[in-house]
Amino acid sequence: EIHNISNSELIKKSVASYERSTGNKEIVNFYFVSSANKKETTLLKQNSLIVSHRFINDAKANGLLIDKNIYAIVPADTNKDNRLSIDDAVDLYVSDYNGINLEKIGENVYGYQIVDDYTVLFTEVLDGKRTFKTHNGKTNKTETIKTVDGVPENKEFDQIFY
């Protein structure tokens, strides 16, 4: 069972399956409940802005298999405007289905897409260069595909341009 914790209401809410928050409710954490012992685990030790996420079951419905949850997270106020937003650096993380073993696989990511079974393609932007990488959840390997000069105009998460 997966639950989201929104910024506007930090309460536990029982849901059979996850649905995206509506309105201005930003997701700042998830908690997972074990079906075996009802033990609760939060994804993050400290609340952060979760810009986008894909759960294992989400991808199966779209015809591609992934064996890790994927999260685009703003962990810090990198532009120093006293709030977490898409304008800050967004890092890409993966975890097991139950939120355990959270691992950062990309930093200052401008977008990601599942392109093949177990494989996510993402774009990192560092030092004025755009680097395209893939991460295979089955092998837990990240590979660089290509690096080019320039920074994209927008960040793209879940088909939304920021």
Side-chain angles (χ1 to χ4, degrees):
E1 231 181 305
I2 302 168
H3 306 276
N4 69 311
I5 302 172
S6 69
N7 200 17
S8 60
E9 54 180 336
L10 292 173
I11 61 171
K12 294 178 182 175
K13 185 173 164 184
S14 179
V15 291
S17 64
Y18 174 80
E19 292 182 20
R20 189 176 238 344
S21 293
T22 58
N24 292 330
K25 297 179 183 176
E26 297 172 326
I27 298 172
V28 296
N29 211 338
F30 286 104
Y31 71 92
F32 298 83
V33 180
S34 167
S35 58
N37 62 12
K38 304 298 181 203
K39 181 180 177 192
E40 297 178 6
T41 306
T42 58
L43 177 67
L44 305 169
K45 292 178 184 173
Q46 180 178 339
N47 290 345
S48 296
L49 177 62
I50 300 175
V51 173
S52 175
H53 61 278
R54 295 287 297 266
F55 292 120
I56 291 170
N57 291 341
D58 287 348
K60 287 181 184 176
N62 294 332
L64 293 174
L65 300 174
I66 58 172
D67 57 353
K68 299 280 186 184
N69 293 336
I70 304 169
Y71 314 91
I73 300 174
V74 176
D77 179 19
T78 57
N79 67 358
K80 307 295 184 208
D81 66 354
N82 295 317
R83 65 187 191 101
L84 297 181
S85 72
I86 194 71
D87 297 327
D88 295 303
V90 178
D91 295 336
L92 196 62
Y93 292 81
V94 294
S95 78
D96 294 339
Y97 75 95
N98 56 4
I100 304 295
N101 298 318
L102 185 67
E103 175 187 0
K104 182 163 82 169
I105 61 169
E107 62 180 297
N108 203 27
V109 172
Y110 270 56
Y112 72 92
Q113 181 176 351
I114 298 167
V115 293
D116 201 357
D117 285 348
Y118 312 111
T119 304
V120 60
L121 170 71
F122 60 96
T123 307
E124 284 183 334
V125 175
L126 300 169
D127 300 324
K129 295 187 184 293
R130 185 174 8 174
T131 303
F132 300 93
K133 295 183 177 185
T134 59
H135 179 80
N136 185 299
K138 201 120 182 110
T139 63
N140 202 32
K141 290 187 179 178
T142 301
E143 294 184 29
T144 298
I145 305 301
K146 184 177 185 175
T147 300
V148 296
D149 288 332
V151 176
E153 188 175 317
N154 299 306
K155 295 181 181 181
E156 182 180 352
F157 295 98
D158 285 346
Q159 309 300 321
I160 297 171
F161 294 92
Y162 293 95

